[in-house]
Amino acid sequence: MAMITVVTEAVPARLRGRLAVWLLEVRAGVYVGNVSRRIREMIWQQIEVLAEEGNVVMAWQTNTESGFDFITYGSNRREPIDIDGLRLVRFLPEQSKS
C-alpha cells in the first residue's frame, strides 16, 4: 500500500463523491489515502470516465529518484515532462482571452 494524493478542479459532484469512497477529502477537491496499486489504477479509471471537462492530478509514492510519480487528466497550464527519467512540470504560457 502506498499513500496517494488526488487534486481535482472543476469536476462533477459524482466524481468527488466516488473519490470520497476510497480517500479522505482533506480540503475541497484534495483527497489523500493509502491504497494498493490495483485500487489506485481503478480510481484513475473512474477519474478518466467521470472527470468530463475538469482536470485532475494524482501523485503517489514510488521507488524513484524523487520518491513519487504522478499522472494528469484534462487541460491545465502545468504539463508533465520527462527529463532524463526525472518527472518535472513545465508551465505553458497563459492563453490570451481575446
Side-chain angles (χ1 to χ4, degrees):
M1 304 241 316
M3 178 146 183
I4 69 169
T5 302
V6 177
V7 180
T8 64
E9 291 182 325
V11 297
R14 68 181 177 276
L15 174 56
R16 293 182 65 179
R18 186 70 56 92
L19 291 172
V21 169
W22 299 290
L23 307 169
L24 178 63
E25 188 173 14
V26 295
R27 290 282 191 268
V30 179
Y31 302 83
V32 296
N34 282 310
V35 297
S36 68
R37 177 181 178 179
R38 184 177 68 84
I39 297 300
R40 183 185 79 227
E41 290 171 352
M42 184 270 306
I43 290 171
W44 189 253
Q45 289 174 347
Q46 294 294 307
I47 289 167
E48 290 179 320
V49 169
L50 299 173
E52 296 179 1
E53 299 300 314
N55 67 76
V56 181
V57 62
M58 176 189 284
W60 62 91
Q61 290 176 298
T62 189
N63 190 18
T64 62
E65 186 71 27
S66 62
F68 67 92
D69 200 357
F70 65 96
I71 190 169
T72 63
Y73 174 90
S75 179
N76 193 292
R77 283 190 56 217
R78 292 169 182 87
E79 177 180 83
I81 59 172
D82 187 308
I83 298 179
D84 295 329
L86 186 60
R87 302 262 296 157
L88 300 172
V89 176
R90 167 176 54 195
F91 281 83
L92 299 175
E94 287 192 49
Q95 299 278 331
S96 63
K97 298 191 180 196
S98 31

